[in-house]
Amino acid sequence: MRGDHSFSEPPAGSVTCMSCGRVSMGMTRAEAEAAAARVNAGLRPGEHPVEVSYFRCCRAPRYRPARIGDIPDGASYGSVLAEGV
């Protein structure tokens, strides 16, 4: 345990980026495409469409399955395209 935070088992499907250290829920390409389509359906004129590349945590992500100690209890996280992890 690091600091005075408690850590639990991360949810199934969560991944840790070995490049930036962020923990996220992994999603497939199909899930990322569907999420981008949902966002793009609600865009107003002049807003930029979301692409699948939006679902990356950093410039050169490399993922591994998340494990205890990667993210403290109560922390929030997003979703990333991590197909095949």
Side-chain angles (χ1 to χ4, degrees):
M1 188 157 71
R2 292 175 242 162
D4 50 353
H5 301 286
S6 62
F7 295 85
S8 299
E9 186 72 34
S14 58
V15 295
T16 299
C17 179
M18 295 183 295
S19 296
C20 70
R22 289 185 184 190
V23 175
S24 306
M25 288 302 297
M27 60 192 325
T28 64
R29 178 163 289 281
E31 291 170 327
E33 288 171 350
R38 281 192 305 274
V39 170
N40 292 336
L43 291 179
R44 292 184 269 188
E47 292 181 322
H48 296 286
V50 171
E51 298 177 9
V52 172
S53 62
Y54 173 82
F55 296 98
R56 291 173 46 184
C57 60
C58 64
R59 189 161 253 215
R62 297 175 302 125
Y63 302 111
R64 65 164 170 78
R67 55 184 175 237
I68 292 177
D70 286 347
I71 189 168
D73 289 344
S76 62
Y77 46 90
S79 298
V80 293
L81 175 59
E83 194 164 51
V85 175

